[in-house]
Amino acid sequence: MVAPTKVGKWSLGVRTWLHYRAETFIIPAVALLASAAYFSVFLICLGKSPGEFFFLIARGGFGTLFSWQNTLVRAAPLILTALCVAIPARMGLVVIGGEGALVIAGFSAGAIAIPLDQSVAPMFITLAMGLTAVVVGACWIGLVGWMRHARGVNETISSLLLTYIAIAIVNFFIEGVLRNPADPNRPSTKAINPDAMVGAIPGLHVHWGLAAGVVLAVLLYLLMDRTTFGFAARIAGGNPRVAEAQGLSVGRLIVTGCFIGGACAGLAGFFEVAAVHGRANAALHANYGFTGILVSFLARHSPLAIIPVACLFGGIGAAGGLIQRRMELPDATVLLLQGVVFVTLLASETLYGRLPFFRATQDSHT
Amino acid sequence: MSDLWSALTLVLIALLGGIVRVSTPFLFVSLGECLTEKTGRINLGLEGTLVLGAMTGYAASYLTGSPWLGIGAAALTGMVFGAFHAILCQLPRVNDIAVGIALIQLGTGAAFFFGKPFIQPTAPHMPSIALGWWSSNPDLQNALLINPLFPMGIALAIFLRWAFRNTYWGLIVRTTGDSEPAARDLGVSVNGVRLAATSIGGLLAGIGGAFLSLSYPGSWNEGLSSGQGLMAVALVIFARWDPVHCFYAAVLFGAAGAIGPALQSVGVTQGYYFFNAAPYILTLLLMVASGRSKRAARDMPRELAITR
């Protein structure tokens, strides 16, 4: 669980370091394969073909250029919401409220665009929306960190409660004062100016949110793994009392970490509104935040590993519709599969340091 | 003036009925969680158990025609889910909070997956006891149609408090929660006690779920629970691990949840979504207010990882 510090890494030697890395890669992969195996048995019990199921995931998620685009559009918010779990996790916090930060920030972005619509240039509308979303998201999860530090409130519970509160606030406004009367079918805010929408990355048909997610993941990897701040955060996460004794301000680290994570989730909300839906409505609450929790855990809270894992789950999500139509399975199939993967993954934590291949090298050094 | 007066009476009566109905699932989940946390483990997965219990209860009631069999099925499912949590958590290095989050996802995923065909049909509901026979007011009679699970929950709360304090089993549970080494020294199987407590906790949460789908609101849909199981977990912390306090807290949460519908019954629809959020906001405020309190620190089972 604890990443090796620089000192530890050299004293253990490069070979062990490689083993350690291999272990953190192989065990999650084994967990994924095991979940696929359980799920296959489950599908056979239901009289469905597991072969067809996984073939459809491969085709619907990664088979064609079109499906790749669909996958990447889903991977973008997953990277960002997973970062909202991963960064606080380095401080030892289990924050699961990314969904709420995404929803409230996306809504704020959609709401700020309304009064600006005719008065300023489209570019400034986009800018204002982005800023609002990032600030709102950051404060939303920052509040979780503050409550944890100042009042000892459990961050897991408070962040999930805040998600329900965020959804209620957004429903209150989009079905009330901010509801667009011109859109009778679905309660939404007024559509944002098409010129203020975020476009696609040239040649990809995938919006810029993907690029933002990848760049942020790399930057946050550098921040958490290559700077003093990240080192301090890991100490605070490993043992807050030691960190306090070293003169680190644990509270500031916790709130900053939550702030960064919330900003990422807020950015996901911004792109959902400004690049996908074009307005704030209930479609924001699309479980990206919850899937992001699984993505981060599977990536072992490493910002770099989050990118491929987010693509994998983006692909499974993208294939969901195809599976539903072809195999006549309910739309909750993807949700159930994710639950199975999550439980198996956590159970696999127990394997660290106990697999025969890895145990030999670890024993020789301890 | 008399209009206002009668409207106020109506709201209060609706609130009274609402409290009894809304607080019952809170009561059952929080008693289950209280028992689990007393042994030093936290099961956040009860939110998933609640949803799964609601679905299985509704499905079993629809398929067999008996709501009591529905409750039985929900209780059994809850127990299996609780046992699953306990078994996963006894593996070394496996974190109980993280497993709880995973079980929330697995439980809701399974409930939505299997529950699709049961959203439309109507299952037989649980019968209620008419406690309003003495009154001629039809609204009051309606409000006092009480589900038998509510008094059972109160009895269970009182029994649990008594059992924690006065019985051999209560002592074992408390010892396990306060100090694993001490429990081992007494020859107690720590994992066994936690397995039993978490299973019974899951069973109670499953019954709470069946109440949601078979009594109030009384139908199965995917937005049925929306965090009630989680609030019940928070409620246990606020109630400082005392079953009778859990009952008081459940009534308080019931009141918060009943305000919106009660106002709606007299035609106040403004701020419906705001009142919907009232229980969540209340939970959060209570957690902030009671955090770091010395009494909570004293009453907390020492092995519990939640506020460490």
Side-chain angles (χ1 to χ4, degrees), chain A residues 42 94 96 147-151 153-154 164-165 168 171 175 290 330-333 336 340 342-343 346 350 352, chain B residues 88 92-93 98-99 101-102 105-106 110 112-114 116 226-227 231 273 277 280 283 287-289 291-292 306 308:
Chain A
F42 172 72
V94 188
I96 57 175
M147 286 191 294
R148 160 74 194 228
H149 172 65
R151 302 293 307 161
V153 174
N154 177 274
Y164 293 112
I165 295 174
N171 282 334
E175 304 209 4
F290 293 128
D331 56 353
T333 311
L336 184 61
V340 172
F342 205 162
V343 172
L346 291 173
T350 195
Y352 283 93
Chain B
L88 284 175
R93 274 176 235 251
V99 170
I101 300 168
Q105 294 203 347
L106 184 67
F112 293 180
F113 185 92
F114 293 108
K116 264 278 137 57
S226 50
M231 283 189 276
Y273 286 100
Y280 307 108
T283 313
M287 285 175 78
V288 170
R292 293 275 147 84
I306 189 155
R308 239 181 237 159

Side-chain angles (χ1 to χ4, degrees), chain A residues 104-125:
Chain A
I104 196 90
F107 162 74
S108 311
I112 198 93
I114 299 170
L116 295 177
D117 195 16
Q118 299 302 327
S119 49
V120 296
M123 199 186 79
F124 291 109
I125 299 180

Side-chain angles (χ1 to χ4, degrees), chain B residues 11-288:
Chain B
V11 169
L12 283 178
I13 290 174
L15 197 61
L16 175 71
I19 288 173
V20 172
R21 285 174 193 141
V22 178
S23 63
T24 308
F26 280 123
L27 180 58
F28 273 83
V29 181
S30 65
L31 288 179
E33 182 68 20
C34 182
L35 178 60
T36 307
E37 288 189 15
K38 274 277 185 192
T39 65
R41 209 178 257 159
I42 177 159
N43 182 4
L44 282 183
L46 288 190
E47 167 71 17
T49 312
L50 190 72
V51 180
L52 198 60
M55 192 283 291
T56 43
Y58 198 75
S61 171
Y62 172 69
L63 295 174
T64 63
S66 157
W68 297 105
L69 282 178
I71 290 185
L76 197 67
T77 319
M79 198 168 91
V80 170
F81 232 59
F84 191 39
H85 182 275
I87 291 166
L88 284 175
C89 291
Q90 29 176 289
L91 298 168
R93 274 176 235 251
V94 175
N95 174 288
D96 52 351
I97 290 186
V99 170
I101 300 168
L103 286 184
I104 295 178
Q105 294 203 347
L106 184 67
T108 39
F112 293 180
F113 185 92
F114 293 108
K116 264 278 137 57
F118 300 104
I119 292 180
Q120 283 295 333
T122 314
H125 278 198
M126 288 176 65
S128 297
I129 308 169
L131 286 183
W133 44 268
W134 47 269
S135 165
S136 57
N137 183 335
D139 292 313
L140 195 59
Q141 283 178 351
N142 195 28
L144 288 177
L145 276 176
I146 285 175
N147 187 296
L149 283 179
F150 184 70
M152 283 185 209
I154 299 175
L156 186 64
I158 296 168
F159 167 75
L160 276 177
R161 177 195 245 185
W162 173 81
F164 281 146
R165 288 182 182 173
N166 299 311
T167 65
Y168 171 74
W169 286 106
L171 184 67
I172 298 280
V173 163
R174 284 189 291 134
T175 312
T176 311
D178 275 333
S179 165
E180 248 187 78
R184 281 213 189 85
D185 286 348
L186 288 174
V188 171
S189 155
V190 171
N191 283 336
V193 172
R194 288 186 177 154
L195 176 65
T198 317
S199 305
I200 297 172
L203 179 141
L204 293 175
I207 294 176
F211 178 90
L212 282 178
S213 62
L214 293 176
S215 179
Y216 182 85
S219 68
W220 157 246
N221 64 67
E222 298 187 348
L224 191 59
S225 160
S226 50
Q228 293 190 32
L230 189 87
M231 283 189 276
V233 174
L235 188 154
V236 176
I237 303 168
F238 170 64
R240 298 204 312 270
W241 299 275
D242 180 328
V244 174
H245 290 175
C246 283
F247 166 68
Y248 300 144
V251 167
L252 183 66
F253 278 57
I259 289 175
L263 285 176
Q264 234 183 350
S265 70
V266 291
V268 181
T269 50
Q270 269 289 308
Y272 171 71
Y273 286 100
F274 173 74
F275 285 114
N276 255 359
Y280 307 108
I281 297 172
L282 177 72
T283 313
L284 207 56
L285 290 180
L286 287 177
M287 285 175 78
V288 170

Side-chain angles (χ1 to χ4, degrees), chain A residues 14-27 30 351-365:
Chain A
V14 173
R15 212 179 78 128
T16 317
W17 180 77
L18 275 177
H19 270 149
Y20 172 82
R21 285 283 143 167
E23 193 179 29
T24 59
F25 176 77
I26 288 171
I27 291 179
V30 166
L351 295 176
Y352 283 93
R354 292 168 85 196
L355 292 181
F357 171 69
F358 300 112
R359 196 168 52 205
T361 53
Q362 285 205 341
D363 285 350
S364 65
H365 286 279

